[in-house]
Amino acid sequence: MKLKPIFAAMAAVSVFGAAQAAEVEVLHWWTSGGEAKSVAELKKMMEAKGHKWKDFAVAGGGGDAAMTALKARVVSGNPPVAAQIKGPSIQEWAREGALGDISAAATDWDKLLPKVVADVMKYKGKYVAAPVNVHRVNWLWINQDALNKAGGKAPTNFDEFFALADKFKAAGMTAVAHGGQPWQDATVFESVVLGVGGAKFFEDALVKLDAKALDSPTMLKSFDTLAKIKTYIDKDAAGRDWNLATAMVMNGKGGMQFMGDWAKGEFTAANKVAGKDYTCAPAPGTANAYTFNIDSFAMFNVKAADAKKGQADLAASIMSPEFQEVFNLNKGSIPARAGVSKAKFDSCGQKSMADFESTAKSGGLVASFAHGMAVPSATQGAIVDVIAKFMNSTMSSKDAVAALVKASKTK
Ligand code: GAL
């Protein structure tokens, strides 16, 4: 994303105008059942502090549409007060001068946040964004009834996965529920790379973009595995929203879904219970790894006192233990900060908390490529395009590896 300095200056000036409004306008893309319930908790908290919440919600899982809308607003000189921006994009926006320093509201955050979280929220050592949660991406969601009928054991590797998929197919189900959208294709791809190659290979290939890792037999095998998964996805998957694929697993039309644990927010919103209605299992081969995806709100460069107050209150609300508990219970993620009781979290949530800690020590904790935590947005977009093309064509694994290597050089 390249914003001309003039736009950043306009944004800074124009927010002055916007800051006259008594509203705190916040851009996000949380419009599914579980997502909407979660963000409603933040709205409630901000209104209780006397602010008028202006919900700038842009539908579209994964946030591509929201980022397009955000760029249009900033280019037109009218950015929101805060926006859901994640990973290296935070530093990209900050480098353009579009974000404000909220360190005054973050005086104790270095003590409260794991370093891996705190570092993502800063630009040149100053906090410019507040972390809402930690999502785990490398999950497989399985319909419990169908799993029980197929022997009751979640697959721990791809041989077991395909054996289970065959049983689901034989039972007349769509073995793999999926939404054919580029970000969802990338979500499946990254869990396959993690399962086939392991965390070190994942880090080398999709975080460091190491050419030897990208152009390797392991990456070839990853695409071969993805090609086999494709054969278990139904023909109506193109364009399907992620939460509708989750609903397929919920109602038993679908057997499994590769998806981050925002899918758990949909099960929770439908009063489904982990271990009874569905199983959450690490994606095949990834039990000792954790692809993290941190949602955060970046604060735009505001001048007006009421807008600054709104940002300070937004940051404080987001980091409060109360919000971190109620939001994450609804969202399917885990708290970004220390000091939140795990008592109310279910088995999936508690497993995510335990695995986040253990993989941080073991080296299995890696930044999600598919969800904008690993590489610059332009590079990510080019690589996601290759994966989407592979998913929607007869492109060979060999050609996909070559296209991946080329796309990895996009700046
Ligand atoms: C991710 C985001 C999650 C969830 C998901 C589906 O990028 O971090 O919070 O919204 O998209 O929309």
Side-chain angles (χ1 to χ4, degrees), residues 13 41 61 87 111 130 134 158 164 191 201 214 218-219 233 242 270 291-292 296 301 304 341 346 378 382 384 406:
V13 171
E41 294 298 332
K111 287 199 300 297
V134 176
F158 277 108
L164 182 61
S191 282
F201 174 76
L214 287 167
T218 304
M219 188 55 78
I233 294 169
W242 67 273
T291 36
F292 69 84
S296 45
N301 200 352
S341 165
D346 66 11
V384 170
K406 187 165 176 283

PDB file of all heavy atoms in Angstrom, residues 13 41 61 87 111 130 134 158 164 191 201 214 218-219 233 242 270 291-292 296 301 304 341 346 378 382 384 406:
ATOM      1  N   VAL A  13      -4.934  16.690   8.474  1.00  0.00           N
ATOM      2  CA  VAL A  13      -5.727  17.932   8.548  1.00  0.00           C
ATOM      3  C   VAL A  13      -7.200  17.573   8.629  1.00  0.00           C
ATOM      4  O   VAL A  13      -7.925  18.017   9.496  1.00  0.00           O
ATOM      5  CB  VAL A  13      -5.473  18.798   7.280  1.00  0.00           C
ATOM      6  CG1 VAL A  13      -6.464  19.975   7.265  1.00  0.00           C
ATOM      7  CG2 VAL A  13      -4.042  19.285   7.281  1.00  0.00           C
ATOM      8  N   GLU A  41     -19.626  -5.672  21.910  1.00  0.00           N
ATOM      9  CA  GLU A  41     -19.135  -5.482  23.291  1.00  0.00           C
ATOM     10  C   GLU A  41     -18.244  -4.242  23.377  1.00  0.00           C
ATOM     11  O   GLU A  41     -18.260  -3.520  24.377  1.00  0.00           O
ATOM     12  CB  GLU A  41     -18.346  -6.722  23.736  1.00  0.00           C
ATOM     13  CG  GLU A  41     -19.160  -7.986  23.879  1.00  0.00           C
ATOM     14  CD  GLU A  41     -20.258  -7.866  24.937  1.00  0.00           C
ATOM     15  OE1 GLU A  41     -20.092  -7.076  25.893  1.00  0.00           O
ATOM     16  OE2 GLU A  41     -21.283  -8.564  24.806  1.00  0.00           O
ATOM     17  N   GLY A  61     -15.169 -11.307   4.713  1.00  0.00           N
ATOM     18  CA  GLY A  61     -14.210 -11.971   5.586  1.00  0.00           C
ATOM     19  C   GLY A  61     -12.779 -11.731   5.137  1.00  0.00           C
ATOM     20  O   GLY A  61     -12.509 -11.573   3.948  1.00  0.00           O
ATOM     21  N   GLY A  87      -0.758  -6.526  11.712  1.00  0.00           N
ATOM     22  CA  GLY A  87       0.570  -6.941  11.269  1.00  0.00           C
ATOM     23  C   GLY A  87       1.397  -5.838  10.627  1.00  0.00           C
ATOM     24  O   GLY A  87       1.274  -4.663  10.989  1.00  0.00           O
ATOM     25  N   LYS A 111       4.470  -4.450  29.956  1.00  0.00           N
ATOM     26  CA  LYS A 111       4.430  -5.469  31.023  1.00  0.00           C
ATOM     27  C   LYS A 111       3.289  -6.458  30.786  1.00  0.00           C
ATOM     28  O   LYS A 111       3.365  -7.626  31.146  1.00  0.00           O
ATOM     29  CB  LYS A 111       4.213  -4.792  32.397  1.00  0.00           C
ATOM     30  CG  LYS A 111       5.427  -4.049  32.931  1.00  0.00           C
ATOM     31  CD  LYS A 111       5.352  -3.792  34.445  1.00  0.00           C
ATOM     32  CE  LYS A 111       4.133  -2.954  34.871  1.00  0.00           C
ATOM     33  NZ  LYS A 111       4.131  -1.588  34.297  1.00  0.00           N
ATOM     34  N   ALA A 130      -3.831  -0.892  19.219  1.00  0.00           N
ATOM     35  CA  ALA A 130      -4.167  -1.648  20.435  1.00  0.00           C
ATOM     36  C   ALA A 130      -4.570  -3.069  20.034  1.00  0.00           C
ATOM     37  O   ALA A 130      -5.390  -3.248  19.122  1.00  0.00           O
ATOM     38  CB  ALA A 130      -5.324  -0.970  21.166  1.00  0.00           C
ATOM     39  N   VAL A 134      -5.675 -12.804  20.259  1.00  0.00           N
ATOM     40  CA  VAL A 134      -4.788 -13.665  19.464  1.00  0.00           C
ATOM     41  C   VAL A 134      -5.664 -14.798  18.909  1.00  0.00           C
ATOM     42  O   VAL A 134      -6.286 -15.554  19.671  1.00  0.00           O
ATOM     43  CB  VAL A 134      -3.640 -14.269  20.293  1.00  0.00           C
ATOM     44  CG1 VAL A 134      -2.816 -15.227  19.425  1.00  0.00           C
ATOM     45  CG2 VAL A 134      -2.741 -13.165  20.853  1.00  0.00           C
ATOM     46  N   PHE A 158      -1.823 -36.107   7.475  1.00  0.00           N
ATOM     47  CA  PHE A 158      -2.649 -36.040   6.268  1.00  0.00           C
ATOM     48  C   PHE A 158      -3.133 -37.425   5.810  1.00  0.00           C
ATOM     49  O   PHE A 158      -4.204 -37.545   5.208  1.00  0.00           O
ATOM     50  CB  PHE A 158      -1.930 -35.283   5.151  1.00  0.00           C
ATOM     51  CG  PHE A 158      -2.090 -33.789   5.284  1.00  0.00           C
ATOM     52  CD1 PHE A 158      -1.031 -32.987   5.687  1.00  0.00           C
ATOM     53  CD2 PHE A 158      -3.330 -33.197   5.053  1.00  0.00           C
ATOM     54  CE1 PHE A 158      -1.197 -31.614   5.846  1.00  0.00           C
ATOM     55  CE2 PHE A 158      -3.508 -31.828   5.208  1.00  0.00           C
ATOM     56  CZ  PHE A 158      -2.437 -31.035   5.600  1.00  0.00           C
ATOM     57  N   LEU A 164     -10.250 -40.022   6.782  1.00  0.00           N
ATOM     58  CA  LEU A 164     -11.497 -39.495   7.365  1.00  0.00           C
ATOM     59  C   LEU A 164     -12.344 -38.825   6.279  1.00  0.00           C
ATOM     60  O   LEU A 164     -13.564 -39.012   6.219  1.00  0.00           O
ATOM     61  CB  LEU A 164     -11.170 -38.508   8.490  1.00  0.00           C
ATOM     62  CG  LEU A 164     -12.356 -37.905   9.239  1.00  0.00           C
ATOM     63  CD1 LEU A 164     -13.190 -38.988   9.930  1.00  0.00           C
ATOM     64  CD2 LEU A 164     -11.883 -36.867  10.262  1.00  0.00           C
ATOM     65  N   SER A 191      -2.033 -23.718   6.355  1.00  0.00           N
ATOM     66  CA  SER A 191      -2.070 -24.858   7.285  1.00  0.00           C
ATOM     67  C   SER A 191      -1.493 -26.115   6.653  1.00  0.00           C
ATOM     68  O   SER A 191      -0.884 -26.949   7.340  1.00  0.00           O
ATOM     69  CB  SER A 191      -3.512 -25.105   7.757  1.00  0.00           C
ATOM     70  OG  SER A 191      -3.861 -24.148   8.747  1.00  0.00           O
ATOM     71  N   PHE A 201      10.123 -24.695   8.466  1.00  0.00           N
ATOM     72  CA  PHE A 201       9.966 -24.546   7.007  1.00  0.00           C
ATOM     73  C   PHE A 201       8.969 -23.429   6.713  1.00  0.00           C
ATOM     74  O   PHE A 201       9.192 -22.587   5.837  1.00  0.00           O
ATOM     75  CB  PHE A 201       9.478 -25.855   6.380  1.00  0.00           C
ATOM     76  CG  PHE A 201       9.170 -25.725   4.909  1.00  0.00           C
ATOM     77  CD1 PHE A 201      10.209 -25.677   3.982  1.00  0.00           C
ATOM     78  CD2 PHE A 201       7.860 -25.600   4.464  1.00  0.00           C
ATOM     79  CE1 PHE A 201       9.940 -25.520   2.629  1.00  0.00           C
ATOM     80  CE2 PHE A 201       7.578 -25.427   3.110  1.00  0.00           C
ATOM     81  CZ  PHE A 201       8.617 -25.397   2.193  1.00  0.00           C
ATOM     82  N   LEU A 214      11.046 -21.722  -0.679  1.00  0.00           N
ATOM     83  CA  LEU A 214       9.887 -21.575  -1.569  1.00  0.00           C
ATOM     84  C   LEU A 214      10.001 -22.551  -2.739  1.00  0.00           C
ATOM     85  O   LEU A 214       9.029 -23.208  -3.112  1.00  0.00           O
ATOM     86  CB  LEU A 214       9.801 -20.141  -2.079  1.00  0.00           C
ATOM     87  CG  LEU A 214       9.341 -19.093  -1.049  1.00  0.00           C
ATOM     88  CD1 LEU A 214       9.597 -17.689  -1.588  1.00  0.00           C
ATOM     89  CD2 LEU A 214       7.880 -19.280  -0.687  1.00  0.00           C
ATOM     90  N   THR A 218       9.555 -29.734  -0.587  1.00  0.00           N
ATOM     91  CA  THR A 218       8.529 -29.622   0.473  1.00  0.00           C
ATOM     92  C   THR A 218       7.393 -28.720   0.011  1.00  0.00           C
ATOM     93  O   THR A 218       6.216 -28.997   0.269  1.00  0.00           O
ATOM     94  CB  THR A 218       9.162 -29.077   1.760  1.00  0.00           C
ATOM     95  OG1 THR A 218      10.262 -29.908   2.141  1.00  0.00           O
ATOM     96  CG2 THR A 218       8.155 -29.018   2.888  1.00  0.00           C
ATOM     97  N   MET A 219       7.718 -27.643  -0.686  1.00  0.00           N
ATOM     98  CA  MET A 219       6.660 -26.741  -1.179  1.00  0.00           C
ATOM     99  C   MET A 219       5.878 -27.443  -2.298  1.00  0.00           C
ATOM    100  O   MET A 219       4.643 -27.333  -2.368  1.00  0.00           O
ATOM    101  CB  MET A 219       7.244 -25.430  -1.686  1.00  0.00           C
ATOM    102  CG  MET A 219       6.190 -24.383  -2.041  1.00  0.00           C
ATOM    103  SD  MET A 219       5.040 -24.010  -0.697  1.00  0.00           S
ATOM    104  CE  MET A 219       6.069 -22.945   0.306  1.00  0.00           C
ATOM    105  N   ILE A 233     -13.759 -30.814  -1.923  1.00  0.00           N
ATOM    106  CA  ILE A 233     -14.544 -29.586  -1.781  1.00  0.00           C
ATOM    107  C   ILE A 233     -15.671 -29.617  -2.813  1.00  0.00           C
ATOM    108  O   ILE A 233     -15.466 -30.064  -3.937  1.00  0.00           O
ATOM    109  CB  ILE A 233     -13.627 -28.348  -1.995  1.00  0.00           C
ATOM    110  CG1 ILE A 233     -12.591 -28.251  -0.869  1.00  0.00           C
ATOM    111  CG2 ILE A 233     -14.443 -27.065  -2.089  1.00  0.00           C
ATOM    112  CD1 ILE A 233     -11.490 -27.230  -1.124  1.00  0.00           C
ATOM    113  N   TRP A 242     -17.013 -17.513   4.482  1.00  0.00           N
ATOM    114  CA  TRP A 242     -16.401 -18.494   5.394  1.00  0.00           C
ATOM    115  C   TRP A 242     -17.392 -19.019   6.430  1.00  0.00           C
ATOM    116  O   TRP A 242     -17.398 -20.206   6.762  1.00  0.00           O
ATOM    117  CB  TRP A 242     -15.205 -17.874   6.105  1.00  0.00           C
ATOM    118  CG  TRP A 242     -15.566 -16.774   7.060  1.00  0.00           C
ATOM    119  CD1 TRP A 242     -15.718 -15.442   6.776  1.00  0.00           C
ATOM    120  CD2 TRP A 242     -15.838 -16.909   8.454  1.00  0.00           C
ATOM    121  NE1 TRP A 242     -16.074 -14.753   7.898  1.00  0.00           N
ATOM    122  CE2 TRP A 242     -16.154 -15.623   8.953  1.00  0.00           C
ATOM    123  CE3 TRP A 242     -15.847 -17.986   9.341  1.00  0.00           C
ATOM    124  CZ2 TRP A 242     -16.475 -15.386  10.285  1.00  0.00           C
ATOM    125  CZ3 TRP A 242     -16.158 -17.774  10.677  1.00  0.00           C
ATOM    126  CH2 TRP A 242     -16.473 -16.470  11.139  1.00  0.00           C
ATOM    127  N   ALA A 270     -24.182 -19.917  17.821  1.00  0.00           N
ATOM    128  CA  ALA A 270     -25.280 -20.862  17.529  1.00  0.00           C
ATOM    129  C   ALA A 270     -25.493 -21.822  18.705  1.00  0.00           C
ATOM    130  O   ALA A 270     -26.164 -22.847  18.572  1.00  0.00           O
ATOM    131  CB  ALA A 270     -24.955 -21.648  16.261  1.00  0.00           C
ATOM    132  N   THR A 291      -0.052 -20.852  14.239  1.00  0.00           N
ATOM    133  CA  THR A 291       0.006 -19.668  13.371  1.00  0.00           C
ATOM    134  C   THR A 291      -0.876 -18.598  14.016  1.00  0.00           C
ATOM    135  O   THR A 291      -2.091 -18.784  14.140  1.00  0.00           O
ATOM    136  CB  THR A 291      -0.508 -19.984  11.950  1.00  0.00           C
ATOM    137  OG1 THR A 291      -1.589 -20.915  12.035  1.00  0.00           O
ATOM    138  CG2 THR A 291       0.579 -20.577  11.094  1.00  0.00           C
ATOM    139  N   PHE A 292      -0.214 -17.513  14.464  1.00  0.00           N
ATOM    140  CA  PHE A 292      -0.970 -16.491  15.193  1.00  0.00           C
ATOM    141  C   PHE A 292      -1.425 -15.359  14.276  1.00  0.00           C
ATOM    142  O   PHE A 292      -0.734 -14.982  13.330  1.00  0.00           O
ATOM    143  CB  PHE A 292      -0.162 -15.936  16.381  1.00  0.00           C
ATOM    144  CG  PHE A 292       1.044 -15.102  16.011  1.00  0.00           C
ATOM    145  CD1 PHE A 292       0.933 -13.750  15.723  1.00  0.00           C
ATOM    146  CD2 PHE A 292       2.317 -15.679  15.971  1.00  0.00           C
ATOM    147  CE1 PHE A 292       2.044 -12.980  15.392  1.00  0.00           C
ATOM    148  CE2 PHE A 292       3.438 -14.923  15.649  1.00  0.00           C
ATOM    149  CZ  PHE A 292       3.298 -13.570  15.360  1.00  0.00           C
ATOM    150  N   SER A 296      -6.186  -6.001  15.660  1.00  0.00           N
ATOM    151  CA  SER A 296      -5.803  -4.773  16.366  1.00  0.00           C
ATOM    152  C   SER A 296      -6.493  -3.581  15.722  1.00  0.00           C
ATOM    153  O   SER A 296      -6.932  -3.637  14.573  1.00  0.00           O
ATOM    154  CB  SER A 296      -4.281  -4.576  16.291  1.00  0.00           C
ATOM    155  OG  SER A 296      -3.810  -4.812  14.971  1.00  0.00           O
ATOM    156  N   ASN A 301      -4.080   9.649  12.885  1.00  0.00           N
ATOM    157  CA  ASN A 301      -3.367  10.818  13.384  1.00  0.00           C
ATOM    158  C   ASN A 301      -4.346  11.964  13.641  1.00  0.00           C
ATOM    159  O   ASN A 301      -4.592  12.769  12.760  1.00  0.00           O
ATOM    160  CB  ASN A 301      -2.348  11.218  12.299  1.00  0.00           C
ATOM    161  CG  ASN A 301      -1.253  12.073  12.870  1.00  0.00           C
ATOM    162  OD1 ASN A 301      -1.343  12.482  14.026  1.00  0.00           O
ATOM    163  ND2 ASN A 301      -0.235  12.311  12.082  1.00  0.00           N
ATOM    164  N   ALA A 304      -7.835  16.844  17.216  1.00  0.00           N
ATOM    165  CA  ALA A 304      -8.875  17.401  18.108  1.00  0.00           C
ATOM    166  C   ALA A 304      -8.907  16.647  19.434  1.00  0.00           C
ATOM    167  O   ALA A 304      -8.729  15.429  19.482  1.00  0.00           O
ATOM    168  CB  ALA A 304     -10.243  17.294  17.433  1.00  0.00           C
ATOM    169  N   SER A 341      -8.539 -14.289  33.415  1.00  0.00           N
ATOM    170  CA  SER A 341      -8.786 -15.666  33.866  1.00  0.00           C
ATOM    171  C   SER A 341      -9.197 -16.551  32.686  1.00  0.00           C
ATOM    172  O   SER A 341      -9.968 -16.137  31.817  1.00  0.00           O
ATOM    173  CB  SER A 341      -9.910 -15.677  34.910  1.00  0.00           C
ATOM    174  OG  SER A 341     -10.372 -17.006  35.082  1.00  0.00           O
ATOM    175  N   ASP A 346     -13.584 -22.309  26.972  1.00  0.00           N
ATOM    176  CA  ASP A 346     -13.864 -23.745  26.799  1.00  0.00           C
ATOM    177  C   ASP A 346     -12.568 -24.498  26.449  1.00  0.00           C
ATOM    178  O   ASP A 346     -11.479 -23.920  26.413  1.00  0.00           O
ATOM    179  CB  ASP A 346     -14.943 -23.959  25.731  1.00  0.00           C
ATOM    180  CG  ASP A 346     -14.484 -23.546  24.332  1.00  0.00           C
ATOM    181  OD1 ASP A 346     -13.267 -23.281  24.140  1.00  0.00           O
ATOM    182  OD2 ASP A 346     -15.326 -23.485  23.425  1.00  0.00           O
ATOM    183  N   ALA A 378       1.646  -5.916  -0.147  1.00  0.00           N
ATOM    184  CA  ALA A 378       1.746  -6.101  -1.614  1.00  0.00           C
ATOM    185  C   ALA A 378       2.261  -7.504  -1.931  1.00  0.00           C
ATOM    186  O   ALA A 378       1.771  -8.187  -2.840  1.00  0.00           O
ATOM    187  CB  ALA A 378       2.657  -5.047  -2.208  1.00  0.00           C
ATOM    188  N   ALA A 382       0.228 -10.688  -3.847  1.00  0.00           N
ATOM    189  CA  ALA A 382       0.725 -11.384  -5.044  1.00  0.00           C
ATOM    190  C   ALA A 382       0.763 -12.897  -4.816  1.00  0.00           C
ATOM    191  O   ALA A 382       0.390 -13.690  -5.685  1.00  0.00           O
ATOM    192  CB  ALA A 382       2.113 -10.865  -5.390  1.00  0.00           C
ATOM    193  N   VAL A 384      -1.066 -14.613  -2.561  1.00  0.00           N
ATOM    194  CA  VAL A 384      -2.443 -15.110  -2.436  1.00  0.00           C
ATOM    195  C   VAL A 384      -3.072 -15.290  -3.816  1.00  0.00           C
ATOM    196  O   VAL A 384      -3.803 -16.259  -4.055  1.00  0.00           O
ATOM    197  CB  VAL A 384      -3.288 -14.175  -1.545  1.00  0.00           C
ATOM    198  CG1 VAL A 384      -4.780 -14.522  -1.603  1.00  0.00           C
ATOM    199  CG2 VAL A 384      -2.799 -14.234  -0.100  1.00  0.00           C
ATOM    200  N   LYS A 406       8.141 -16.283  -7.993  1.00  0.00           N
ATOM    201  CA  LYS A 406       8.069 -14.979  -8.694  1.00  0.00           C
ATOM    202  C   LYS A 406       7.274 -13.975  -7.861  1.00  0.00           C
ATOM    203  O   LYS A 406       7.719 -12.846  -7.617  1.00  0.00           O
ATOM    204  CB  LYS A 406       7.403 -15.212 -10.069  1.00  0.00           C
ATOM    205  CG  LYS A 406       7.392 -13.997 -10.999  1.00  0.00           C
ATOM    206  CD  LYS A 406       7.055 -14.454 -12.453  1.00  0.00           C
ATOM    207  CE  LYS A 406       6.947 -13.237 -13.392  1.00  0.00           C
ATOM    208  NZ  LYS A 406       5.641 -12.508 -13.210  1.00  0.00           N
TER     209      LYS A 406
END
